[in-house]
Amino acid sequence: MKRFLTVDDIGDLGQALKEAAEVKKTPYAWDTLGKNKTITLIFFNSSLRTRLSTQKAAMNLGMNVIVLDVNKDGWQLETEFGVVMDGDKPEHLREAVPVIGRYCDIIGVRSFASFEDKKADYEEEILNQFINFAGVPIISMESATRHPLQAFADLFTIEEFKNKERPKVVLTWAPHPRALPQAVPNSFVEWMKVADVDLVVTHPKGYELSPEFTDGVTVEYDQKKAFEDADFIYAKNWASYEQYGQLLSQDKSWTVDEEKMSLTNDARFMHCLPVRRNMIVTDGVIDSENSIVIDEAANRVVSAQVVIKRMLEALK
Ligand code: SN0
């Protein structure tokens, strides 16, 4: 495995889920696989789960881990080509990426959508510089358009908690005070489309995701109708794709609350975290027995470990 960005990079999902279950059961069974191998985790944006779970996953495999927070350490990095570098960024990614690649065996990158340029974001201009110039395998730790480690952990969590062969999974938009990326919902849809689930996406008008992801997916604009008989409710805010990066609504009637959850088939509540309480979801729902957000976050170690393990196996 040379890169991990889209669902295609993981191959057969059944096999990946089997491997995830093995890794969860015996996390230290491959603790010499990463001996004398180094992973560098580079963050252009904040992180709690991704940073800690990816580091833990690498440590479980016996790797050395270097973490670089671009905003705190090192030089500010220029990411655009052809610019006159007379501003506040002393170094270009074009040099920084291959240099980092010489110091390690795998690189993980977190770089959110800028929301300044839809085309640049959806062409993954930053992540692609890592893929093209690092010379080592690249893991997306949330890029402009996708968050595959999250989606893989989400799928594994659904697999663990489902009580029927093909559960109904609902991705619902929910209100938030800021404009957030589409990466989490894009990846969730991308993975659920391939998985053995019935996926329904619900959001207010104007919040349609890129058709690249939602082609063939059921979209239901009536949130309550979407919730009927759901086995999993996956809440997430995202900014508009069409009116790119804009916050069109903070409509609190979309908050996931007890009343809406009562329409479901005793559904489990999921969210990638961090979550804004009483915006996205009421305290009553996130603190209820049906909330599996902590188990979901715990599985981030599992998804990261499967991906790093496969990359290490391919290096040998
Ligand atoms: C990120 C997002 O993509 O929505 C990371 C999720 C894993 N979330 C945020 O940036 C939340 C920030 C906030 O102000 O609540």
Side-chain angles (χ1 to χ4, degrees):
M1 193 191 245
K2 282 264 183 279
R3 70 182 67 163
F4 182 65
L5 168 61
T6 77
V7 70
D8 296 332
D9 297 324
I10 199 82
D12 182 70
L13 281 189
Q15 180 56 40
L17 288 170
K18 227 178 99 201
E19 210 171 315
E22 280 169 32
V23 160
K24 185 153 184 176
K25 214 166 126 206
T26 56
Y28 307 113
W30 302 268
D31 61 358
T32 57
L33 184 64
K35 188 174 189 304
N36 294 335
K37 297 275 190 260
T38 300
I39 188 168
T40 301
L41 308 179
I42 302 174
F43 291 90
F44 289 85
N45 313 95
S46 308
S47 169
L48 178 97
R49 274 149 296 279
T50 300
R51 175 177 169 153
L52 298 183
S53 63
T54 311
Q55 179 158 1
K56 178 69 167 82
M59 293 191 312
N60 288 352
L61 295 163
M63 295 188 86
N64 300 308
V65 184
I66 299 173
V67 180
L68 178 67
D69 182 334
V70 175
N71 296 315
K72 290 204 199 94
D73 319 307
W75 303 109
Q76 290 298 300
L77 298 174
E78 179 57 63
T79 59
E80 277 174 48
F81 288 116
V83 291
V84 177
M85 289 173 61
D86 60 356
D88 58 354
K89 293 175 178 161
E91 180 152 23
H92 201 286
L93 266 192
R94 185 65 188 86
E95 285 77 49
V97 168
V99 168
I100 296 163
R102 295 292 179 97
Y103 301 152
C104 64
D105 304 279
I106 299 174
I107 298 176
V109 191
R110 160 156 295 192
S111 175
F112 288 175
S114 67
F115 279 151
E116 280 159 22
D117 182 345
K118 184 176 189 169
K119 191 164 167 284
D121 283 348
Y122 271 72
E123 285 176 358
E124 291 288 5
E125 282 190 349
I126 293 183
L127 189 74
N128 279 329
Q129 291 193 54
F130 280 89
I131 287 170
N132 294 334
F133 305 129
V136 298
I138 300 296
I139 300 175
S140 159
M141 300 193 299
E142 186 170 343
S143 71
T145 65
R146 290 172 174 87
H147 194 358
L149 289 171
Q150 182 65 50
F152 185 10
D154 294 335
L155 174 63
F156 181 58
T157 308
I158 288 170
E159 188 70 15
E160 283 188 311
F161 282 90
K162 73 181 186 185
N163 48 26
K164 64 163 72 114
E165 201 53 48
R166 200 176 161 83
K168 177 177 174 183
V169 175
V170 177
L171 167 65
T172 181
W173 182 93
H176 194 282
R178 292 178 50 214
L180 294 190
Q182 291 127 14
V184 170
N186 284 347
S187 274
F188 189 74
V189 168
E190 185 182 63
W191 286 65
M192 289 303 135
K193 263 164 82 170
V194 188
D196 206 8
V197 305
D198 284 323
L199 175 66
V200 175
V201 179
T202 182
H203 54 71
K205 289 246 158 68
Y207 279 99
E208 290 75 14
L209 292 164
S210 161
E212 174 191 351
F213 294 93
T214 48
D215 264 354
V217 171
T218 308
V219 176
E220 169 58 66
Y221 292 98
D222 181 339
Q223 191 191 30
K224 289 190 174 162
K225 213 165 147 207
F227 272 45
E228 281 169 17
D229 297 321
D231 299 297
F232 292 89
I233 296 296
Y234 193 99
K236 182 73 186 88
N237 173 270
W238 61 87
S240 173
Y241 172 75
E242 195 52 45
Q243 287 172 260
Y244 193 59
Q246 286 186 36
L247 198 158
L248 308 177
S249 158
Q250 291 193 48
D251 183 356
K252 295 282 269 299
S253 75
W254 280 79
T255 300
V256 178
D257 62 12
E258 292 89 325
E259 192 195 323
K260 283 177 214 159
M261 288 299 284
S262 73
L263 302 169
T264 69
N265 180 30
D266 202 22
R268 305 288 189 159
F269 175 80
M270 299 177 73
H271 188 280
C272 63
L273 307 181
V275 70
R276 304 278 189 138
R277 281 173 174 257
N278 303 309
M279 285 291 298
I280 299 280
V281 58
T282 60
D283 288 337
V285 171
I286 196 167
D287 294 331
S288 75
E289 295 255 300
N290 287 35
S291 170
I292 55 172
V293 295
I294 307 301
D295 297 285
E296 181 185 356
N299 282 335
R300 292 292 308 279
V301 178
V302 178
S303 63
Q305 194 171 336
V306 170
V307 170
I308 299 169
K309 174 175 164 289
R310 285 189 180 188
M311 285 182 170
L312 288 171
E313 284 163 351
L315 284 179
K316 284 174 74 173

